Amino acid sequence: MKKGILILALITMSFLAHAQDSKFDIRMGGGWSFIGSGDYHQSMFESELNYKSNHYFAFSAGFAFSQSYTAAVSTNGSMLQLNGNAFISPFKNNRRNDFRIGLGLSNIWITSGSDLPKNDNSFYNTQSDRTSLGANLILENTFAINDHFLIGIKGLVQAYGDTAHSGILGKIGYRF
């Protein structure tokens, strides 16, 4: 009986140790973002896969989508982006709280349109599409609720050749 309890305890401890050393997690979040000088306010949703290399370095790959509508000028816009980032945790990722700073690359596709008035009181729609490659600067803080579930907040600034993008997101995650 004692041998069975000891074996069960060892198996349980090895499972808990493996769960705490998991290198992958997936995070999803939502919040608000601004394109350009803040003229497009957007609702933004993001999903990313993270890989923890060690206690100080991590990498992520993800995508984001945002949508806006400004009724005052009857303008709408949508954005899709792909991101690749490298992070450093200057205070060490101690598995409970992880403050990290990230740099990376992003490709963004923006579609915007406006309903402009004609002389006969009707409207015509103008639409523009553009794609840009840019650089990311990210500040993120994540707190582990338990061995698997994460919550956090993320601030980002992205510079592109013809515009800029910034935002703040609340995030939830699951560590494998």
Side-chain angles (χ1 to χ4, degrees):
M1 179 71 171
K2 287 182 182 180
K3 223 181 212 184
I5 292 173
L6 180 62
I7 290 172
L8 183 61
L10 289 173
I11 290 171
T12 303
M13 288 184 347
S14 68
F15 175 77
L16 290 175
H18 179 266
Q20 290 178 350
D21 289 339
S22 176
K23 300 237 181 226
F24 288 96
D25 67 70
I26 188 165
R27 300 177 191 190
M28 291 187 237
W32 295 270
S33 67
F34 308 97
I35 290 183
S37 59
D39 47 351
Y40 283 106
H41 301 260
Q42 299 191 316
S43 300
M44 183 175 174
F45 302 96
E46 179 183 64
S47 181
E48 68 182 6
L49 178 66
N50 287 272
Y51 173 75
K52 178 185 157 191
S53 177
N54 59 37
H55 290 299
Y56 294 98
F57 296 102
F59 302 94
S60 74
F63 68 92
F65 173 78
S66 64
Q67 182 72 38
S68 71
Y69 180 76
T70 306
V73 292
S74 192
T75 301
N76 61 46
S78 62
M79 176 197 70
L80 176 66
Q81 65 177 236
L82 297 176
N83 300 308
N85 299 302
F87 293 93
I88 185 168
S89 299
F91 306 115
K92 193 175 180 180
N93 179 356
N94 64 6
R95 306 304 301 160
R96 196 70 165 156
N97 189 61
D98 180 21
F99 172 77
R100 60 190 194 171
I101 302 166
L103 295 173
L105 294 176
S106 177
N107 196 29
I108 190 169
W109 293 270
I110 300 173
T111 300
S112 59
S114 296
D115 291 330
L116 300 174
K118 291 182 181 179
N119 291 340
D120 62 357
N121 291 333
S122 64
F123 292 89
Y124 67 95
N125 187 280
T126 64
Q127 186 166 329
S128 67
D129 297 317
R130 61 183 187 244
T131 301
S132 295
L133 183 64
N136 303 331
L137 173 62
I138 299 167
L139 296 176
E140 186 171 359
N141 193 54
T142 304
F143 181 77
I145 296 171
N146 58 31
D147 285 341
H148 296 288
F149 294 102
L150 312 165
I151 60 171
I153 190 165
K154 175 180 185 176
L156 59 97
V157 175
Q158 298 169 316
Y160 298 96
D162 58 347
T163 190
H165 178 242
S166 59
I168 188 163
L169 304 165
K171 299 186 84 171
I172 58 171
Y174 183 79
R175 184 180 301 136
F176 298 106

